[in-house]
Amino acid sequence: MNEIPVTMTVNGEDRAATIEPRLTLADYLRSECGLTGTHLACEHGACGACTVLVDGAAQRSCLVFAVQAQGAEITTVEGLAEAPGEPTAVQRAFEDCYGLQCGFCTPGFVVSVTAFLRDNPEPDDREIREALSGNLCRCTGYGGIYAAVRQAAAELAEAQGGAS
Amino acid sequence: MKAAPFRYHAPSTVAEAVDLLTEHGDEAKVLAGGQSLVPIMALRLGRYGHLVDLNRVDGLRGVEAANGHVRVGAMTTQSAVEHDPMIADRVPLVAAAAPHIGHFQIRNRGTVGGSIAHADPAAELPAVAMALDAVMEVGGPEGAREVRAADFFTSMWTTSLADNEILTAVRFPVRSELQGFAVSEVARRHGDFALVGTACAVSVDGGGVVTDAAIALFGVGPTPVRAASAEEALVGTGPDADLGEIGRLALSGVDPNDDVHASGDYRRRAGAAIVARALGTARDEARGGRS
């Protein structure tokens, strides 16, 4: 068989497997790691539902072969919160602002927005809209999603101000 | 929506990668960022027996300045050039183009060399390379060679790279004083492929008269193209030049396709408008100059 061993860290846990090179990181996370929060829709990079952090950078996990993640540190939507029942500011904001409708696209949005606000803590309207353009919501729930980004940004700014 | 099976190779030097490409011939394909290649494979538009992944090849990443140009390693991500202060200062057209490429999640993995070697006719970086007369550094079995952008793009998704050659770096000339730049495009959603787009560079003299102009168009044919007659018409003009007329002239030389997203006629008219807009922006920036 054309299979290759691969090791990586997923949500802080060391993982090892022997897999076919054509297995995408998205399918690896779902089928080998049981982390089904990473959603797959278009499977060619257009929709963003499968977004995860690869060494901290938000990427489409359907456009990375799992063998390419050898040695990488992966964070999925399941790994964002510090503990079960303690959602992050971004996750709370999506709930508060009705930033999810059917919820299918939500993991990708939450991961993308988490990375976006980490790198740009005080975004303006245009920057938020551009950042959100990489994820599709077929329910067209963008109003709530946009509001969630605003709320999360304000909350994170306040937390930072309080900490300094 | 899964790729067909393939053998995966992760060489650590250009020479090893070239050897693998030579060994496997047209069965092999180079994998850079994969943001175009993986969708092609997932949609089964392409299937390859062997993928040669350049991500672990030493020395293909990074941006450095030397002798009037900035050299960008082929595997440098689009995000890296988007946020590089030296790129913003010395090759502003690359910085202006970067935000239009896909979305930030795509740019985090997509590479400068991958985009240029993929040679999508609707992509931004090939047009930027054309506008700036960039030089491609190529590695192959005979060693290194250089190719000018004008000789690099030969047809849709096709370049003058041989099957066993790799694009290793792109050299962009450093901006000069009194030069301005702009990228403008029409896309259905920010980050989608352009229906039509342009990358422009304009130089002026102390009196504000245009001394040099580059107008590269993308999304209008099988390769990015320079609008030579419009460039000539702009040179020698002052602030009163009719940029709308220059824009129409730029698009008069191309015959864009009709497709489900836009007619060729729409592309020509929208293209004329955005060329005029981009030239205005570039010319204003050039006049502002740098002190």
Side-chain angles (χ1 to χ4, degrees):
Chain A
M1 283 291 282
N2 174 26
E3 293 199 331
I4 297 183
V6 62
T7 58
M8 67 185 89
T9 308
V10 182
N11 298 335
E13 202 176 307
D14 290 339
R15 297 271 185 173
T18 301
I19 54 171
E20 260 201 280
R22 67 170 171 158
L23 187 72
T24 65
L25 179 59
D27 282 324
Y28 174 80
L29 293 168
R30 291 177 57 85
S31 61
E32 302 281 326
C33 304
L35 294 166
T36 52
T38 297
H39 288 177
L40 277 166
C42 78
E43 299 196 53
H44 64 274
C47 79
C50 68
T51 305
V52 301
L53 304 182
V54 180
D55 293 328
Q59 296 185 5
R60 309 285 207 230
S61 60
C62 75
L63 297 188
V64 180
F65 293 115
V67 291
Q68 295 188 280
Q70 169 59 38
E73 204 169 291
I74 309 296
T75 305
T76 70
V77 69
E78 291 95 338
L80 295 178
E82 294 208 347
E86 290 179 31
T88 65
V90 172
Q91 289 168 324
R92 279 198 309 277
F94 269 72
E95 185 180 355
D96 291 348
C97 301
Y98 304 98
L100 55 158
Q101 291 192 33
C102 82
F104 187 86
C105 67
T106 307
F109 268 105
V110 167
V111 172
S112 291
V113 169
T114 300
F116 169 64
L117 290 179
R118 178 200 63 202
D119 296 339
N120 187 355
E122 293 177 48
D124 63 28
D125 290 356
R126 186 189 57 81
E127 289 168 334
I128 294 175
R129 287 177 195 286
E130 258 185 46
L132 294 180
S133 73
N135 292 77
L136 292 178
C137 166
R138 295 296 299 270
C139 308
T140 67
Y142 295 101
I145 293 166
Y146 179 87
V149 180
R150 274 261 155 268
Q151 175 182 314
E155 194 175 319
L156 290 167
E158 195 174 321
Q160 289 231 314
S164 63
Chain B
M1 302 290 276
K2 308 292 179 190
F6 58 87
R7 297 270 168 183
Y8 174 76
H9 306 273
S12 53
T13 64
V14 171
E16 259 180 76
V18 167
D19 283 349
L20 284 161
L21 293 174
T22 303
E23 183 185 345
H24 297 294
D26 59 10
E27 279 280 281
K29 186 77 179 171
V30 169
L31 172 60
Q35 304 301 283
S36 298
L37 182 65
V38 179
I40 284 169
M41 295 173 72
L43 296 165
R44 301 284 178 115
L45 297 171
R47 52 195 301 170
Y48 311 97
H50 299 265
L51 280 199
V52 178
D53 185 356
L54 299 187
N55 281 278
R56 293 178 197 273
V57 173
D58 283 338
L60 292 185
R61 281 179 211 274
V63 175
E64 58 187 25
N67 299 332
H69 62 256
V70 170
R71 183 176 182 278
V72 179
M75 291 297 290
T76 307
T77 64
Q78 294 147 5
S79 285
V81 292
E82 180 180 6
H83 298 113
D84 189 309
M86 187 166 72
I87 293 282
D89 181 46
R90 302 193 191 187
V91 199
L93 192 59
V94 171
H100 294 280
I101 306 168
H103 312 283
F104 75 91
Q105 302 89 337
I106 300 286
R107 299 193 291 274
N108 279 341
R109 194 160 188 98
T111 64
V112 171
S115 172
I116 289 177
H118 180 54
D120 192 298
E124 292 82 3
L125 288 176
V128 167
M130 286 290 285
L132 295 180
D133 291 320
V135 173
M136 315 299 171
E137 295 183 14
V138 174
E142 317 297 329
R145 69 181 180 109
E146 296 181 353
V147 186
R148 296 173 50 239
D151 300 323
F152 190 75
F153 304 102
T154 54
S155 184
M156 191 177 278
W157 301 313
T158 311
T159 68
S160 55
L161 285 174
D163 279 349
N164 57 358
E165 286 185 319
I166 291 167
L167 178 62
T168 54
V170 184
R171 296 204 308 264
F172 297 100
V174 170
R175 78 178 299 170
S176 55
E177 304 287 327
L178 299 174
Q179 202 177 11
F181 305 89
V183 171
S184 186
E185 68 179 50
V186 179
R188 287 181 305 150
R189 149 180 86 146
H190 178 87
D192 282 359
F193 275 114
L195 300 177
V196 58
T198 185
C200 297
V202 176
S203 303
V204 298
D205 65 16
V209 172
V210 174
T211 57
D212 197 15
I215 304 169
L217 306 172
F218 51 103
V220 297
T223 66
V225 289
R226 289 276 291 266
S229 57
E231 293 172 355
E232 280 167 30
L234 189 62
V235 170
T237 63
D240 58 345
D242 181 351
L243 296 180
E245 187 53 42
I246 301 282
R248 285 188 289 279
L249 183 59
L251 272 291
S252 67
V254 295
D255 187 18
N257 280 343
D258 297 322
D259 65 23
V260 66
H261 304 305
S263 67
D265 190 46
Y266 172 82
R267 285 183 160 88
R268 200 177 293 112
R269 284 181 290 128
I274 61 171
V275 166
R277 188 182 308 158
L279 288 175
T281 304
R283 196 179 57 181
D284 289 350
E285 186 188 312
R287 280 215 204 91
R290 288 192 306 172
S291 52

